[in-house]
Amino acid sequence: MPPIRPEHLLPGQDLINLHGVLTLDGELVSISIANQHVATRELHVGAPADGVDASGWIMLPPLADLHAHIDKAYTWSMAGGPEGSLEDAVACWQTFGAELTYAQIKINARRQLTAALSAGVTAMRSHVNYHVGDDPLRGIRAVIELREEFQGAVDLQVVAMNSHLTESALIREAMAMGVDLLGDAPHLGPDPRGELERTIALADEASIGVDIHTDETLDVNSLDLRDLAALTASWPLERTRSAGHCVSLAVQPTEVLAELLDEVAAAGVSIITNPLTNLYLQGWEHPVSMPRAIPPLLAIRDAGVHLAAGGDNVQDPFNPLGNADMVDTVAALVLAGHVTPRTAWEISAAGRELMGLPKASGHVGDPADLILVRATSVAEAIAERAPDRVVIRGGRVMATRALTINAIQIPPLETPTTKLHTHATKEMQL
């Protein structure tokens, strides 16, 4: 059977041979797939006789969204189109969130998971609120059900996100339902250290990890990250302890930052940056010289701290513009975080490891999970927002995207000779 092109692949098709595809390292290779894993990989030579002819396409690791809020997705318009800082968004959600039903939460969350999968996100960690009303666990229940529904397509971890207002008995109910991790936002409460201690103690009861909204503020005095590191340093190495946002790291003196990151690395705490939402929410009080509100990414990596990224909010009171496509997040890491395009993609792909999933880098033995993008480099893929892409999991095509080109007509340029001729003709006519 003659080779086919990636743009002709359809969801449900299984790949066996992929020829002439560019890698993240800039190599041109051919791979074969067997038992949902990469079986062989060699430098590409000659024209392919079968399989998929992927010349002109790059093979990239699948994206991981390590900080989502799918129970809030697509509610910005429903909430009245609010705008403002983190505090404004929290106040809006506390008022509006009570109106959301179980059915609405599940419909919107499923929509985000579907959009994420079509964009190449095959691993996600979502925080879920305890929703105000008679059924405070309705959001957690809906997302746990979706975790099962999307099994084999999107690996989903569920974080039950409490606050200082959530009773411990309710948190224990959520743990009994099977949440993967506990979350919190201690910097929003009156006693951040005490609230962090309570959440960690509750996680200890169930021997599960935590993913904490940490220092999501430009206040230089907010250093809950230090407490998180100290309180979890004795945990087993395999137990998750993640810190999301860590915005205050962006305004720390150099010596304080270096000392703190050493403590974080020693404790095994991972950091998850969320550039899109933090660029939107932070800095409203700075009309000029607005801080970037993104932690120092290179310093974090250089300190040996595991770093991943999240898309955070999708068209909800915390960000009206999210779209579940982590390529936009990767682009923000380049533009606002000052990392290279390759490093930015690696930061997103690294989220798989933090979820306990194997690397998927296209090498022999790796799961055959990858994204094909019509591009000549990772920089081009990010710059063009990967309009043509094929999402593959276990060697099977899960989703495709094709660039739609509108028909246009550009008027021909009028040369100077033509202009002179036209002018002379008019004079003659006069």
Side-chain angles (χ1 to χ4, degrees):
M1 185 175 179
I4 64 172
R5 296 284 295 161
E7 58 265 35
H8 298 143
L9 291 170
L10 298 172
Q13 286 184 284
D14 291 320
L15 273 63
I16 299 176
N17 296 303
L18 187 64
H19 300 286
V21 68
L22 195 67
T23 70
L24 195 61
D25 298 320
E27 293 183 326
L28 204 62
V29 303
S30 294
I31 66 171
S32 66
I33 297 170
N35 298 320
Q36 301 183 0
H37 287 72
V38 177
T40 64
R41 171 172 164 154
E42 55 191 19
L43 292 178
H44 176 68
V45 179
D50 60 4
V52 178
D53 174 10
S55 56
W57 291 65
I58 188 170
M59 174 178 67
L60 296 171
L63 296 160
D65 185 348
L66 260 284
H67 191 112
H69 288 270
I70 64 176
D71 61 319
K72 294 184 174 78
Y74 307 107
T75 59
W76 185 75
S77 296
M78 295 170 62
E83 63 178 31
S85 66
L86 172 63
E87 291 73 19
D88 296 325
V90 169
C92 173
W93 181 256
Q94 288 174 342
T95 301
F96 162 73
E99 300 177 13
L100 280 177
T101 66
Y102 158 83
Q104 288 173 321
I105 293 169
K106 193 166 185 179
I107 288 170
N108 290 341
R110 182 185 289 112
R111 177 183 171 188
Q112 179 173 343
L113 283 167
T114 302
L117 177 60
S118 72
V121 175
T122 58
M124 179 184 289
R125 180 184 292 170
S126 179
H127 297 254
V128 185
N129 280 67
Y130 296 82
H131 290 76
V132 178
D134 295 335
D135 183 11
L137 294 172
R138 61 189 182 276
I140 292 174
R141 186 170 66 254
V143 175
I144 286 177
E145 291 170 358
L146 288 171
R147 181 181 63 188
E148 304 309 312
E149 180 180 326
F150 278 78
Q151 189 173 14
V154 179
D155 291 302
L156 178 63
Q157 286 186 340
V158 182
V159 185
M161 184 181 169
N162 56 272
S163 73
H164 65 285
L165 300 174
T166 313
E167 295 182 359
S168 296
L170 192 60
I171 299 173
R172 289 188 175 97
E173 284 189 52
M175 291 192 295
M177 292 171 64
V179 298
D180 298 286
L181 304 167
L182 290 188
D184 204 339
H187 57 283
L188 297 180
D191 178 15
R193 171 79 184 207
E195 176 59 16
L196 190 56
E197 289 176 346
R198 180 180 74 128
T199 296
I200 289 172
L202 286 165
D204 265 331
E205 286 185 15
S207 298
I208 62 175
V210 296
D211 188 325
I212 308 295
H213 283 58
T214 309
D215 304 318
E216 193 179 2
T217 172
L218 289 167
D219 179 2
V220 69
N221 297 310
S222 181
L223 287 175
D224 297 337
L225 180 59
R226 173 166 281 147
D227 291 334
L228 176 60
L231 291 168
T232 59
S234 62
W235 274 8
L237 290 176
E238 68 275 8
R239 191 186 298 181
T240 297
R241 57 275 228 176
S242 292
H245 300 291
C246 299
V247 174
S248 75
L249 291 183
V251 292
Q252 297 300 324
T254 303
E255 61 277 10
V256 174
L257 176 66
E259 180 183 340
L260 178 55
L261 290 179
D262 284 344
E263 296 173 20
V264 171
V269 174
S270 55
I271 289 178
I272 301 165
T273 183
N274 305 288
L276 296 176
T277 290
N278 287 138
L279 285 170
Y280 175 73
L281 287 179
Q282 270 71 44
W284 289 73
E285 69 276 21
H286 298 274
V288 296
S289 300
M290 185 180 295
R292 290 178 184 266
I294 297 178
L297 305 180
L298 292 177
I300 292 170
R301 282 168 60 94
D302 289 344
V305 177
H306 291 292
L307 177 65
D312 210 351
N313 302 91
V314 172
Q315 298 172 44
D316 65 28
F318 296 78
N319 181 1
L321 297 184
N323 62 5
D325 189 347
M326 281 296 291
V327 173
D328 279 356
T329 299
V330 171
L333 295 177
V334 177
L335 296 173
H338 287 173
V339 299
T340 66
R342 173 174 176 161
T343 297
W345 198 283
E346 288 176 342
I347 288 171
S348 176
R352 290 177 57 90
E353 186 178 354
L354 296 184
M355 288 180 59
L357 300 170
K359 287 185 178 180
S361 54
H363 290 282
V364 174
D366 286 356
D369 297 355
L370 53 99
I371 307 173
L372 295 178
V373 179
R374 194 200 303 263
T376 59
S377 68
V378 65
E380 181 185 336
I382 298 169
E384 300 288 348
R385 299 302 190 272
D388 292 326
R389 63 183 99 167
V390 180
V391 182
I392 298 165
R393 174 148 190 183
R396 173 162 292 184
V397 178
M398 302 297 293
T400 62
R401 278 189 176 186
L403 174 65
T404 300
I405 302 178
N406 295 322
I408 60 174
Q409 182 179 18
I410 301 175
L413 288 175
E414 198 171 28
T415 64
T417 303
T418 304
K419 288 182 178 179
L420 289 172
H421 176 74
T422 303
H423 181 65
T425 303
K426 287 182 178 179
E427 285 184 345
M428 291 173 63
Q429 290 174 344
L430 289 173

